[in-house]
Amino acid sequence: GESVGLHLPTLSVQEGDNSIINCAYSNSASDYFIWYKQESGKGPQFIIDIRSNMDKRQGQRVTVLLNKTVKHLSLQIAATQPGDSAVYFCAEMSGGSNYKLTFGKGTLLTVNP
Amino acid sequence: GAGVSQSPSNKVTEKGKDVELRCDPISGHTALYWYRQSLGQGLEFLIYFQGNSAPDKSGLPSDRFSAERTGGSVSTLTIQRTQQEDSAVYLCASSYSRGSYTGELFFGEGSRLTVL
């Protein structure tokens, strides 16, 4: 079936290092891919999105890469900080699904000081 | 407030009881979503409201679940005859979408439901 999933459930990094969170998807008809961050006890928060006709998009300290050939999405966080510790979800959205987000299971990022 | 507000934040109920969960979206947001998140899991889509269009109910897991949105604003998710497997955090989100793409949903902090 169509789904969005993740390679690694947990990731631990040292403060100041770069983090890379990976995501595999199966729906080749997705129009957009989005990354969300969820801190403990809070709702998810939008980080960055990328349209399916792009392969890279940069934000503040974050970069999203999209490889449609292998259906792979990644979120890179530069100079990771303790405040980046959270669960990160990738999600996909397509117009054919009436613009509802389909989320993956999430990766827990822990930043060690 | 400026964000999405959900109530109650925590609800403990007995199996077989009905529960209502409320969501106040951000003022002016036309789209409203309900998701369910079980412990350590991703977000499961339940229902989507967009303006005056018929809601997308394709994610509701059974006919015990229903939702309504009054006046294009406040939404209530109702679960009848609750079961233990309904225990989860129910998240509401809104966005300023008029049927076109916006991936930026604004989530509330959720209502944690525990069914004993």
Side-chain angles (χ1 to χ4, degrees):
Chain A
E2 297 175 346
S3 65
V4 179
L6 292 154
H7 289 307
L8 296 173
T10 61
L11 177 65
S12 183
V13 300
Q14 291 299 121
E15 182 178 358
D17 287 351
N18 296 332
S19 302
I20 300 176
I21 301 170
N22 296 303
C23 178
Y25 66 92
S26 59
N27 183 6
S28 57
S30 297
D31 295 318
Y32 294 90
F33 299 90
I34 308 103
W35 284 98
Y36 276 80
K37 171 187 180 183
Q38 186 175 28
E39 297 177 357
S40 181
K42 296 186 178 181
Q45 181 180 15
F46 174 91
I47 303 173
I48 191 168
D49 60 1
I50 186 168
R51 192 167 182 173
S52 60
N53 62 356
M54 301 172 64
D55 54 21
K56 181 179 180 179
R57 190 174 185 204
Q58 289 185 297
Q60 185 177 12
R61 281 203 306 120
V62 296
T63 301
V64 56
L65 299 178
L66 176 62
N67 186 331
K68 293 181 288 293
T69 301
V70 295
K71 296 182 182 177
H72 184 268
L73 184 71
S74 69
L75 177 71
Q76 301 179 0
I77 305 173
T80 315
Q81 303 168 0
D84 294 327
S85 294
V87 176
Y88 289 80
F89 293 95
C90 62
E92 64 91 12
M93 180 180 276
S94 60
S97 65
N98 198 21
Y99 296 110
K100 66 179 183 234
L101 284 182
T102 301
F103 285 83
K105 283 188 169 52
T107 293
L108 173 61
L109 173 66
T110 301
V111 181
N112 302 308
Chain B
V4 175
S5 177
Q6 291 188 246
S7 61
S9 55
N10 278 286
K11 176 70 177 179
V12 180
T13 191
E14 294 179 347
K15 178 182 174 181
K17 301 285 189 182
D18 297 351
V19 297
E20 286 189 350
L21 307 176
R22 176 187 169 104
C23 174
D24 283 90
I26 293 173
S27 178
H29 280 192
T30 57
L32 187 146
Y33 302 74
W34 282 98
Y35 285 85
R36 178 169 71 175
Q37 185 173 30
S38 300
L39 185 63
Q41 299 296 310
L43 281 73
E44 176 189 5
F45 169 80
L46 297 177
I47 189 168
Y48 163 56
F49 295 90
Q50 173 57 265
N52 295 321
S53 302
D56 178 348
K57 303 180 181 180
S58 61
L60 294 178
S62 76
D63 59 8
R64 296 187 295 106
F65 288 73
S66 63
E68 62 177 21
R69 187 179 186 190
T70 54
S73 181
V74 172
S75 177
T76 302
L77 177 69
T78 301
I79 309 172
Q80 296 178 310
R81 306 181 301 282
T82 52
Q83 304 294 313
Q84 289 182 331
E85 60 263 30
D86 299 334
S87 297
V89 176
Y90 289 82
L91 289 159
C92 176
S94 68
S95 73
Y96 188 70
S97 166
R98 294 187 178 276
S100 59
Y101 168 74
T102 177
E104 185 169 8
L105 274 56
F106 294 83
F107 282 85
E109 296 197 342
S111 292
R112 180 178 297 277
L113 174 65
T114 303
V115 181
L116 302 177

